[in-house]
Amino acid sequence: FNFNKIRAMLASRVLVGIELDVDQIVGPGLDRVFEATRQESTASYPFPIMPVHWMSRDAQPGELFYDYGLHSWKHPHGMRWCHAHPSWTF
């Protein structure tokens, strides 16, 4: 995780924000993420919303993307696989 992202989020002084990486493309419909962030990140749940990865870490043999999994890890999965570009509110 890049701690410059955390500093940027804290220093931005915006009410609702979405942090993206420099290599990401902003596409149509991104404005909907701001509204979802307003609804999900509230005073009763004051945590950033972490987008999850599109690829399942729990795919079973024969399922799509199973071959891409880390099959050498034989222990239970912990935290979900998330990206380091959260959205947040203040």
Coordinates of all heavy atoms in Angstrom, one line a residue:
F1 N 0.8 -1.2 0.0 CA 0.0 0.0 0.0 C 0.9 1.2 0.0 O 1.9 1.3 0.7 CB -0.9 0.0 1.2 CG -2.0 1.0 1.1 CD1 -3.2 0.7 0.5 CD2 -1.9 2.2 1.8 CE1 -4.2 1.6 0.4 CE2 -2.9 3.1 1.8 CZ -4.0 2.8 1.1
N2 N 0.5 2.2 -0.8 CA 1.3 3.4 -0.9 C 0.8 4.4 0.1 O -0.3 4.9 0.0 CB 1.2 3.9 -2.3 CG 2.1 5.1 -2.6 OD1 2.5 5.8 -1.7 ND2 2.3 5.3 -3.9
F3 N 1.6 4.8 1.1 CA 1.2 5.7 2.1 C 1.0 7.1 1.6 O 0.4 8.0 2.3 CB 2.2 5.7 3.3 CG 2.1 4.4 4.1 CD1 3.0 3.5 4.0 CD2 1.0 4.2 4.9 CE1 2.9 2.3 4.7 CE2 0.8 3.0 5.6 CZ 1.8 2.1 5.5
N4 N 1.5 7.5 0.4 CA 1.2 8.8 -0.2 C -0.2 8.9 -0.5 O -0.8 10.0 -0.5 CB 2.1 9.0 -1.5 CG 3.5 9.2 -1.1 OD1 3.9 9.7 -0.1 ND2 4.4 8.8 -2.0
K5 N -0.9 7.8 -0.8 CA -2.3 7.8 -1.0 C -3.1 8.2 0.2 O -4.0 9.0 0.2 CB -2.8 6.4 -1.5 CG -2.3 6.0 -2.8 CD -2.7 4.6 -3.2 CE -2.1 4.1 -4.4 NZ -2.5 2.8 -4.8
I6 N -2.7 7.7 1.4 CA -3.3 8.0 2.6 C -3.2 9.5 2.9 O -4.1 10.2 3.2 CB -2.8 7.2 3.8 CG1 -3.2 5.7 3.6 CG2 -3.4 7.7 5.1 CD1 -2.6 4.8 4.6
R7 N -2.0 10.0 2.7 CA -1.7 11.4 2.9 C -2.5 12.3 2.0 O -3.1 13.3 2.3 CB -0.2 11.7 2.8 CG 0.6 11.3 3.9 CD 2.0 11.9 4.0 NE 2.7 11.5 2.8 CZ 3.7 10.6 2.8 NH1 4.0 10.0 3.9 NH2 4.4 10.4 1.7
A8 N -2.6 11.8 0.7 CA -3.4 12.6 -0.3 C -4.9 12.6 0.1 O -5.6 13.6 0.0 CB -3.3 12.0 -1.6
M9 N -5.4 11.5 0.6 CA -6.8 11.5 1.1 C -7.1 12.4 2.2 O -8.1 13.1 2.3 CB -7.2 10.0 1.4 CG -7.4 9.1 0.2 SD -8.0 7.5 0.6 CE -6.6 6.7 1.4
L10 N -6.2 12.4 3.2 CA -6.3 13.2 4.4 C -6.2 14.7 4.1 O -6.9 15.5 4.6 CB -5.3 12.8 5.5 CG -5.5 11.4 6.1 CD1 -4.4 11.1 7.0 CD2 -6.9 11.4 6.8
A11 N -5.3 15.0 3.2 CA -5.0 16.4 2.8 C -6.0 17.0 1.8 O -6.0 18.2 1.6 CB -3.6 16.6 2.3
S12 N -6.8 16.1 1.1 CA -7.6 16.6 0.0 C -8.7 17.5 0.5 O -9.2 18.4 -0.2 CB -8.2 15.4 -0.7 OG -9.1 14.7 0.1
R13 N -9.2 17.3 1.7 CA -10.3 18.1 2.3 C -11.6 18.1 1.5 O -12.3 19.1 1.4 CB -9.8 19.5 2.6 CG -8.6 19.5 3.6 CD -8.1 20.9 3.8 NE -9.1 21.7 4.5 CZ -9.3 21.8 5.8 NH1 -8.6 21.0 6.6 NH2 -10.2 22.6 6.3
V14 N -11.9 17.0 0.8 CA -13.1 16.8 0.1 C -14.1 16.1 0.9 O -13.7 15.3 1.9 CB -12.9 16.1 -1.3 CG1 -11.9 16.8 -2.1 CG2 -12.4 14.7 -1.0
L15 N -15.4 16.2 0.7 CA -16.4 15.5 1.4 C -16.6 14.1 1.0 O -16.8 13.2 1.8 CB -17.7 16.3 1.3 CG -17.8 17.7 1.9 CD1 -19.1 18.3 1.7 CD2 -17.4 17.6 3.4
V16 N -16.5 13.8 -0.3 CA -16.5 12.5 -0.9 C -15.4 12.3 -1.9 O -15.3 13.2 -2.8 CB -17.9 12.2 -1.6 CG1 -17.9 10.8 -2.1 CG2 -19.0 12.4 -0.6
G17 N -14.6 11.3 -1.8 CA -13.5 11.2 -2.7 C -13.3 9.7 -3.1 O -13.7 8.8 -2.5
I18 N -12.7 9.6 -4.3 CA -12.3 8.3 -4.9 C -10.9 8.4 -5.3 O -10.5 9.3 -6.0 CB -13.2 8.0 -6.1 CG1 -14.6 7.9 -5.7 CG2 -12.7 6.6 -6.7 CD1 -15.6 7.8 -6.9
E19 N -10.0 7.5 -4.7 CA -8.6 7.5 -5.0 C -8.3 6.5 -6.1 O -8.7 5.4 -6.0 CB -7.8 7.2 -3.8 CG -6.3 7.5 -3.9 CD -5.6 6.4 -4.7 OE1 -5.9 5.2 -4.5 OE2 -4.7 6.7 -5.4
L20 N -7.7 7.0 -7.2 CA -7.3 6.1 -8.3 C -5.8 6.1 -8.5 O -5.1 7.1 -8.2 CB -8.0 6.6 -9.6 CG -9.5 6.6 -9.6 CD1 -10.1 7.2 -10.9 CD2 -10.1 5.2 -9.4
D21 N -5.3 5.1 -9.1 CA -3.9 5.0 -9.5 C -3.7 5.7 -10.8 O -4.6 5.9 -11.6 CB -3.5 3.5 -9.6 CG -3.4 2.9 -8.3 OD1 -3.2 3.5 -7.2 OD2 -3.6 1.6 -8.2
V22 N -2.4 6.1 -11.0 CA -2.1 6.8 -12.2 C -2.3 6.0 -13.5 O -2.6 6.6 -14.6 CB -0.6 7.3 -12.2 CG1 0.4 6.2 -12.3 CG2 -0.3 8.4 -13.2
D23 N -2.4 4.7 -13.4 CA -2.5 3.9 -14.6 C -4.0 3.5 -14.8 O -4.3 2.6 -15.7 CB -1.6 2.7 -14.6 CG -2.0 1.8 -13.4 OD1 -2.7 2.2 -12.5 OD2 -1.5 0.6 -13.4
Q24 N -4.9 4.1 -14.1 CA -6.3 3.7 -14.3 C -7.0 4.7 -15.2 O -6.7 5.9 -15.3 CB -7.0 3.7 -12.9 CG -6.6 2.5 -12.1 CD -7.3 2.5 -10.8 OE1 -7.0 3.4 -9.9 NE2 -8.2 1.6 -10.6
I25 N -8.0 4.2 -15.9 CA -8.8 5.0 -16.8 C -10.2 5.3 -16.2 O -10.8 4.4 -15.7 CB -9.0 4.3 -18.1 CG1 -7.6 4.1 -18.8 CG2 -9.9 5.1 -19.1 CD1 -7.7 3.2 -20.0
V26 N -10.6 6.6 -16.2 CA -11.9 6.9 -15.7 C -12.9 6.8 -16.8 O -12.8 7.4 -17.9 CB -11.9 8.4 -15.1 CG1 -13.3 8.8 -14.7 CG2 -10.9 8.5 -14.0
G27 N -13.9 5.9 -16.6 CA -14.9 5.6 -17.7 C -16.2 6.2 -17.3 O -16.5 6.7 -16.3
P28 N -17.1 6.0 -18.3 CA -18.5 6.5 -18.1 C -19.1 5.8 -16.9 O -18.9 4.6 -16.6 CB -19.2 6.0 -19.4 CG -18.2 5.8 -20.4 CD -16.9 5.4 -19.6
G29 N -19.9 6.5 -16.2 CA -20.6 6.0 -15.0 C -19.9 6.1 -13.7 O -20.4 5.6 -12.7
L30 N -18.7 6.6 -13.7 CA -17.9 6.7 -12.4 C -18.6 7.6 -11.4 O -18.5 7.3 -10.2 CB -16.5 7.2 -12.7 CG -15.6 7.3 -11.5 CD1 -15.3 5.8 -11.1 CD2 -14.4 8.1 -11.7
D31 N -19.4 8.5 -11.9 CA -20.2 9.4 -10.9 C -21.0 8.6 -10.0 O -21.3 9.0 -8.8 CB -21.0 10.4 -11.7 CG -20.2 11.4 -12.4 OD1 -19.0 11.6 -12.0 OD2 -20.7 12.0 -13.3
R32 N -21.5 7.4 -10.4 CA -22.3 6.6 -9.5 C -21.6 6.1 -8.3 O -22.1 5.8 -7.3 CB -22.9 5.4 -10.3 CG -23.9 5.8 -11.4 CD -24.4 4.6 -12.1 NE -23.3 4.0 -12.8 CZ -23.5 3.0 -13.6 NH1 -24.6 2.4 -13.8 NH2 -22.4 2.5 -14.3
V33 N -20.2 6.0 -8.4 CA -19.4 5.5 -7.3 C -19.5 6.6 -6.2 O -19.5 6.2 -5.0 CB -18.0 5.2 -7.7 CG1 -17.1 4.8 -6.6 CG2 -18.0 4.1 -8.8
F34 N -19.5 7.8 -6.5 CA -19.6 8.9 -5.5 C -20.9 8.7 -4.7 O -20.8 8.8 -3.4 CB -19.5 10.3 -6.1 CG -18.1 10.7 -6.6 CD1 -17.8 10.5 -7.9 CD2 -17.2 11.2 -5.7 CE1 -16.5 10.8 -8.4 CE2 -16.0 11.6 -6.1 CZ -15.6 11.4 -7.5
E35 N -22.0 8.5 -5.3 CA -23.2 8.4 -4.6 C -23.2 7.1 -3.7 O -23.7 7.1 -2.6 CB -24.4 8.3 -5.6 CG -25.8 8.3 -4.9 CD -26.0 9.4 -3.9 OE1 -25.5 10.5 -4.2 OE2 -26.7 9.2 -2.9
A36 N -22.7 6.0 -4.2 CA -22.6 4.8 -3.5 C -21.7 5.0 -2.2 O -22.0 4.5 -1.1 CB -22.1 3.7 -4.3
T37 N -20.7 5.8 -2.4 CA -19.8 6.1 -1.3 C -20.5 6.9 -0.2 O -20.3 6.6 1.0 CB -18.5 6.8 -1.8 OG1 -17.8 6.0 -2.7 CG2 -17.6 7.1 -0.6
R38 N -21.3 7.9 -0.7 CA -22.1 8.7 0.3 C -23.0 7.8 1.1 O -23.2 8.0 2.3 CB -22.9 9.7 -0.4 CG -22.1 10.9 -0.9 CD -23.0 12.0 -1.5 NE -22.3 12.9 -2.2 CZ -22.1 12.9 -3.6 NH1 -22.6 11.9 -4.3 NH2 -21.4 13.8 -4.2
Q39 N -23.6 6.8 0.5 CA -24.5 5.9 1.2 C -23.9 4.9 2.1 O -24.4 4.6 3.1 CB -25.4 5.2 0.1 CG -26.3 6.1 -0.7 CD -27.0 5.3 -1.8 OE1 -26.8 4.1 -2.0 NE2 -27.8 6.1 -2.6
E40 N -22.7 4.4 1.7 CA -22.1 3.3 2.4 C -21.1 3.8 3.5 O -20.9 3.1 4.5 CB -21.4 2.4 1.5 CG -22.4 1.7 0.6 CD -21.7 0.7 -0.4 OE1 -20.6 0.2 -0.1 OE2 -22.3 0.4 -1.4
S41 N -20.4 4.9 3.3 CA -19.4 5.3 4.3 C -20.0 6.5 5.0 O -20.1 7.6 4.5 CB -18.1 5.8 3.5 OG -17.2 6.2 4.5
T42 N -20.5 6.2 6.2 CA -21.3 7.1 7.0 C -20.7 7.3 8.4 O -19.7 6.6 8.8 CB -22.8 6.6 7.2 OG1 -22.7 5.4 7.9 CG2 -23.4 6.4 5.8
A43 N -21.3 8.1 9.2 CA -20.9 8.3 10.6 C -21.0 7.0 11.4 O -20.1 6.7 12.2 CB -21.7 9.4 11.3
S44 N -21.9 6.1 11.1 CA -22.0 4.9 11.8 C -21.1 3.8 11.2 O -20.8 2.8 11.9 CB -23.5 4.3 11.8 OG -23.9 4.1 10.4
Y45 N -20.6 4.0 10.0 CA -19.6 3.1 9.4 C -18.5 4.0 8.7 O -18.5 4.2 7.5 CB -20.2 2.2 8.4 CG -19.2 1.1 7.8 CD1 -19.0 0.0 8.5 CD2 -18.5 1.4 6.7 CE1 -18.1 -1.0 8.1 CE2 -17.6 0.4 6.2 CZ -17.4 -0.7 6.9 OH -16.5 -1.7 6.5
P46 N -17.6 4.6 9.5 CA -16.7 5.6 9.1 C -15.4 5.0 8.4 O -14.3 5.6 8.6 CB -16.3 6.4 10.3 CG -16.4 5.3 11.4 CD -17.5 4.4 11.0
F47 N -15.5 4.0 7.7 CA -14.4 3.3 7.1 C -14.4 3.5 5.6 O -15.4 3.6 4.9 CB -14.3 1.8 7.4 CG -14.4 1.6 8.9 CD1 -15.5 1.2 9.5 CD2 -13.3 1.8 9.7 CE1 -15.6 0.9 10.9 CE2 -13.3 1.6 11.0 CZ -14.5 1.2 11.6
P48 N -13.2 3.5 4.9 CA -13.1 3.6 3.5 C -13.8 2.4 2.8 O -13.8 1.3 3.4 CB -11.6 3.7 3.1 CG -11.0 4.0 4.4 CD -11.8 3.5 5.5
I49 N -14.3 2.5 1.7 CA -14.9 1.4 0.9 C -13.7 0.9 0.0 O -13.2 1.7 -0.9 CB -16.1 1.9 0.1 CG1 -17.1 2.6 1.0 CG2 -16.7 0.7 -0.7 CD1 -17.7 1.7 2.1
M50 N -13.3 -0.3 0.2 CA -12.2 -0.9 -0.6 C -12.8 -1.7 -1.8 O -13.5 -2.7 -1.5 CB -11.4 -1.7 0.2 CG -10.7 -1.0 1.4 SD -9.5 0.2 0.9 CE -8.2 -0.8 0.3
P51 N -12.5 -1.3 -3.0 CA -13.0 -2.1 -4.1 C -12.4 -3.5 -4.1 O -11.2 -3.6 -3.9 CB -12.7 -1.3 -5.3 CG -11.7 -0.3 -4.9 CD -11.8 -0.2 -3.4
V52 N -13.1 -4.5 -4.4 CA -12.6 -5.9 -4.4 C -12.2 -6.2 -5.8 O -12.6 -5.6 -6.8 CB -13.6 -6.9 -3.9 CG1 -13.9 -6.6 -2.4 CG2 -14.8 -6.9 -4.7
H53 N -11.4 -7.2 -5.9 CA -10.9 -7.7 -7.2 C -11.9 -8.4 -8.0 O -12.8 -9.1 -7.4 CB -9.6 -8.6 -7.0 CG -8.7 -8.6 -8.2 ND1 -9.0 -9.5 -9.3 CD2 -7.6 -8.0 -8.5 CE1 -8.1 -9.3 -10.2 NE2 -7.2 -8.4 -9.7
W54 N -11.9 -8.4 -9.3 CA -12.9 -9.0 -10.1 C -12.7 -10.5 -10.2 O -13.7 -11.2 -10.5 CB -12.8 -8.5 -11.6 CG -11.4 -8.6 -12.2 CD1 -10.4 -7.7 -12.1 CD2 -10.9 -9.8 -12.9 NE1 -9.3 -8.2 -12.7 CE2 -9.6 -9.5 -13.2 CE3 -11.5 -11.0 -13.3 CZ2 -8.8 -10.4 -13.9 CZ3 -10.7 -11.9 -14.0 CH2 -9.4 -11.6 -14.3
M55 N -11.6 -11.0 -9.8 CA -11.3 -12.4 -9.9 C -11.5 -13.1 -8.6 O -10.9 -12.7 -7.6 CB -9.9 -12.7 -10.4 CG -9.5 -14.1 -10.8 SD -7.9 -14.2 -11.6 CE -6.8 -13.8 -10.3
S56 N -12.2 -14.2 -8.5 CA -12.5 -14.9 -7.2 C -11.2 -15.6 -6.8 O -10.5 -16.2 -7.6 CB -13.6 -15.9 -7.4 OG -13.7 -16.7 -6.3
R57 N -10.9 -15.5 -5.5 CA -9.8 -16.2 -4.9 C -10.3 -17.6 -4.5 O -9.5 -18.5 -4.1 CB -9.3 -15.5 -3.7 CG -8.5 -14.3 -4.0 CD -8.0 -13.6 -2.8 NE -7.6 -14.4 -1.7 CZ -7.2 -14.0 -0.5 NH1 -7.1 -12.7 -0.3 NH2 -6.9 -14.8 0.5
D58 N -11.6 -17.9 -4.6 CA -12.2 -19.1 -4.1 C -12.7 -20.0 -5.2 O -13.6 -20.8 -5.0 CB -13.2 -18.9 -3.1 CG -12.7 -18.1 -1.9 OD1 -11.6 -18.3 -1.5 OD2 -13.5 -17.2 -1.4
A59 N -12.3 -19.8 -6.5 CA -12.8 -20.5 -7.6 C -12.4 -22.0 -7.4 O -11.4 -22.4 -6.9 CB -12.2 -20.0 -8.9
Q60 N -13.3 -22.8 -7.9 CA -13.2 -24.3 -7.8 C -12.7 -24.8 -9.2 O -12.9 -24.2 -10.2 CB -14.5 -24.9 -7.5 CG -15.1 -24.5 -6.1 CD -14.2 -24.8 -5.0 OE1 -13.7 -25.9 -4.8 NE2 -14.0 -23.8 -4.1
P61 N -12.0 -26.0 -9.2 CA -11.6 -26.6 -10.4 C -12.7 -26.6 -11.5 O -13.8 -27.0 -11.2 CB -11.1 -28.0 -10.1 CG -10.7 -27.9 -8.6 CD -11.7 -26.9 -8.0
G62 N -12.4 -26.2 -12.7 CA -13.3 -26.2 -13.8 C -14.0 -24.8 -13.9 O -14.7 -24.6 -14.9
E63 N -14.0 -24.0 -12.9 CA -14.6 -22.6 -13.0 C -13.7 -21.7 -13.7 O -12.5 -21.8 -13.7 CB -14.9 -22.1 -11.6 CG -16.0 -22.8 -10.9 CD -16.3 -22.3 -9.5 OE1 -15.6 -21.4 -9.0 OE2 -17.4 -22.7 -9.0
L64 N -14.3 -20.6 -14.2 CA -13.5 -19.6 -14.9 C -12.5 -19.0 -13.9 O -12.8 -18.7 -12.8 CB -14.5 -18.5 -15.3 CG -14.0 -17.5 -16.3 CD1 -13.6 -18.2 -17.6 CD2 -15.2 -16.5 -16.7
F65 N -11.3 -18.8 -14.4 CA -10.2 -18.2 -13.7 C -9.6 -19.0 -12.6 O -8.7 -18.6 -11.9 CB -10.6 -16.8 -13.1 CG -11.1 -15.8 -14.1 CD1 -12.4 -15.4 -14.0 CD2 -10.4 -15.4 -15.1 CE1 -12.9 -14.5 -14.9 CE2 -10.9 -14.5 -16.1 CZ -12.2 -14.1 -16.0
Y66 N -10.0 -20.3 -12.5 CA -9.4 -21.2 -11.5 C -7.9 -21.3 -11.7 O -7.1 -21.3 -10.7 CB -10.0 -22.5 -11.5 CG -9.4 -23.5 -10.6 CD1 -9.6 -23.5 -9.2 CD2 -8.5 -24.5 -11.1 CE1 -8.9 -24.4 -8.4 CE2 -7.8 -25.4 -10.3 CZ -8.1 -25.3 -8.9 OH -7.4 -26.2 -8.1
D67 N -7.4 -21.4 -12.9 CA -6.0 -21.6 -13.2 C -5.1 -20.5 -12.7 O -3.9 -20.6 -12.6 CB -5.8 -21.9 -14.7 CG -6.5 -23.2 -15.1 OD1 -6.6 -24.1 -14.3 OD2 -6.9 -23.3 -16.3
Y68 N -5.7 -19.3 -12.5 CA -4.9 -18.1 -12.1 C -4.7 -18.0 -10.6 O -4.0 -17.2 -10.1 CB -5.6 -16.8 -12.6 CG -5.7 -16.7 -14.1 CD1 -6.9 -16.8 -14.7 CD2 -4.5 -16.5 -14.8 CE1 -7.0 -16.7 -16.1 CE2 -4.6 -16.4 -16.2 CZ -5.8 -16.5 -16.8 OH -5.9 -16.4 -18.2
G69 N -5.4 -18.9 -9.8 CA -5.3 -18.9 -8.4 C -3.9 -19.2 -7.8 O -3.1 -19.9 -8.5
L70 N -3.7 -18.9 -6.6 CA -2.4 -19.2 -5.9 C -2.7 -20.5 -5.2 O -3.1 -20.6 -4.0 CB -2.1 -18.1 -4.9 CG -0.8 -18.3 -4.1 CD1 0.4 -18.4 -5.0 CD2 -0.7 -17.2 -3.0
H71 N -2.4 -21.6 -5.9 CA -2.7 -22.9 -5.4 C -1.7 -23.5 -4.4 O -1.9 -24.5 -3.7 CB -2.9 -23.9 -6.5 CG -4.0 -23.4 -7.5 ND1 -5.3 -23.4 -7.1 CD2 -3.9 -23.0 -8.8 CE1 -6.0 -22.9 -8.1 NE2 -5.2 -22.7 -9.1
S72 N -0.6 -22.8 -4.3 CA 0.5 -23.2 -3.3 C 0.1 -22.8 -1.9 O 0.6 -23.4 -0.9 CB 1.8 -22.6 -3.7 OG 1.8 -21.2 -3.6
W73 N -0.9 -21.9 -1.7 CA -1.3 -21.5 -0.4 C -2.4 -22.5 0.1 O -3.5 -22.5 -0.4 CB -1.9 -20.1 -0.4 CG -2.3 -19.6 0.9 CD1 -3.6 -19.5 1.3 CD2 -1.5 -19.1 2.0 NE1 -3.7 -19.0 2.6 CE2 -2.4 -18.7 3.0 CE3 -0.2 -19.0 2.2 CZ2 -1.9 -18.2 4.2 CZ3 0.3 -18.5 3.4 CH2 -0.6 -18.1 4.4
K74 N -2.1 -23.3 1.1 CA -3.0 -24.4 1.5 C -3.7 -24.0 2.8 O -4.4 -24.9 3.4 CB -2.2 -25.7 1.8 CG -1.4 -26.1 0.6 CD -2.4 -26.4 -0.6 CE -1.6 -26.9 -1.8 NZ -2.3 -27.0 -3.0
H75 N -3.7 -22.8 3.2 CA -4.4 -22.3 4.4 C -5.7 -21.6 4.1 O -5.8 -21.1 2.9 CB -3.4 -21.5 5.2 CG -2.1 -22.1 5.5 ND1 -2.0 -23.1 6.5 CD2 -0.9 -22.0 5.0 CE1 -0.8 -23.6 6.5 NE2 -0.1 -22.9 5.6
P76 N -6.5 -21.3 5.0 CA -7.8 -20.5 4.8 C -7.4 -19.1 4.3 O -6.4 -18.6 4.7 CB -8.5 -20.5 6.1 CG -7.9 -21.7 6.9 CD -6.5 -21.8 6.4
H77 N -8.3 -18.6 3.5 CA -8.1 -17.2 3.0 C -8.4 -16.3 4.2 O -9.4 -16.5 4.9 CB -9.0 -16.9 1.8 CG -8.6 -17.6 0.6 ND1 -7.4 -17.4 -0.1 CD2 -9.1 -18.7 0.0 CE1 -7.3 -18.2 -1.1 NE2 -8.4 -19.0 -1.1
G78 N -7.7 -15.2 4.3 CA -8.0 -14.2 5.3 C -8.8 -13.0 4.7 O -9.9 -13.3 4.1
M79 N -8.2 -11.8 4.7 CA -8.9 -10.7 4.1 C -9.3 -10.9 2.7 O -8.5 -11.6 2.0 CB -8.1 -9.4 4.3 CG -7.9 -9.0 5.7 SD -6.8 -7.5 5.8 CE -7.7 -6.3 4.9
R80 N -10.3 -10.3 2.2 CA -10.6 -10.4 0.8 C -9.6 -9.6 0.0 O -9.0 -8.7 0.5 CB -12.0 -9.8 0.5 CG -13.1 -10.6 1.2 CD -13.1 -12.1 0.9 NE -13.3 -12.3 -0.6 CZ -13.0 -13.5 -1.1 NH1 -12.6 -14.5 -0.4 NH2 -13.2 -13.7 -2.4
W81 N -9.5 -10.0 -1.2 CA -8.5 -9.4 -2.1 C -9.0 -8.0 -2.6 O -10.0 -7.9 -3.3 CB -8.4 -10.3 -3.3 CG -7.3 -10.0 -4.2 CD1 -6.3 -9.1 -4.1 CD2 -7.0 -10.8 -5.4 NE1 -5.4 -9.2 -5.2 CE2 -5.8 -10.3 -6.0 CE3 -7.6 -11.8 -6.1 CZ2 -5.3 -10.7 -7.2 CZ3 -7.1 -12.3 -7.2 CH2 -6.0 -11.8 -7.8
C82 N -8.4 -6.9 -2.1 CA -8.9 -5.6 -2.4 C -7.8 -4.8 -3.1 O -6.6 -5.0 -2.9 CB -9.5 -4.9 -1.2 SG -8.3 -4.6 0.1
H83 N -8.3 -3.8 -3.8 CA -7.3 -2.8 -4.4 C -7.0 -1.7 -3.4 O -7.7 -1.4 -2.5 CB -8.0 -2.2 -5.6 CG -8.1 -3.2 -6.8 ND1 -7.1 -3.6 -7.5 CD2 -9.2 -3.8 -7.3 CE1 -7.5 -4.5 -8.4 NE2 -8.8 -4.6 -8.3
A84 N -5.9 -1.0 -3.7 CA -5.4 0.0 -2.8 C -5.9 1.4 -3.4 O -5.1 2.3 -3.5 CB -3.9 0.0 -2.7
H85 N -7.1 1.5 -3.7 CA -7.7 2.8 -4.1 C -9.1 2.9 -3.6 O -10.1 2.7 -4.3 CB -7.6 3.1 -5.6 CG -7.9 1.9 -6.5 ND1 -9.2 1.5 -6.8 CD2 -7.1 1.0 -7.1 CE1 -9.2 0.5 -7.6 NE2 -8.0 0.1 -7.8
P86 N -9.2 3.2 -2.3 CA -10.6 3.3 -1.7 C -11.3 4.6 -2.1 O -10.8 5.5 -2.6 CB -10.2 3.3 -0.2 CG -8.9 4.0 -0.2 CD -8.2 3.5 -1.4
S87 N -12.6 4.5 -1.7 CA -13.4 5.8 -1.7 C -13.8 6.1 -0.3 O -13.8 5.2 0.6 CB -14.7 5.6 -2.6 OG -15.4 4.5 -2.2
W88 N -14.1 7.3 0.0 CA -14.3 7.7 1.4 C -15.2 8.9 1.5 O -15.4 9.6 0.5 CB -13.0 7.9 2.1 CG -12.3 9.2 1.7 CD1 -12.4 10.4 2.3 CD2 -11.5 9.4 0.6 NE1 -11.6 11.3 1.7 CE2 -11.1 10.7 0.6 CE3 -11.1 8.6 -0.5 CZ2 -10.3 11.3 -0.4 CZ3 -10.3 9.1 -1.5 CH2 -9.9 10.4 -1.4
T89 N -15.7 9.2 2.7 CA -16.4 10.5 3.0 C -15.8 11.0 4.3 O -15.2 10.3 5.1 CB -17.9 10.2 3.2 OG1 -18.1 9.3 4.2 CG2 -18.5 9.7 1.9
F90 N -16.1 12.3 4.6 CA -15.7 12.9 5.8 C -16.9 13.5 6.4 O -17.8 13.9 5.8 CB -14.7 14.0 5.6 CG -13.3 13.5 5.4 CD1 -12.7 13.5 4.1 CD2 -12.5 13.0 6.4 CE1 -11.4 13.1 3.9 CE2 -11.3 12.5 6.2 CZ -10.7 12.5 4.9

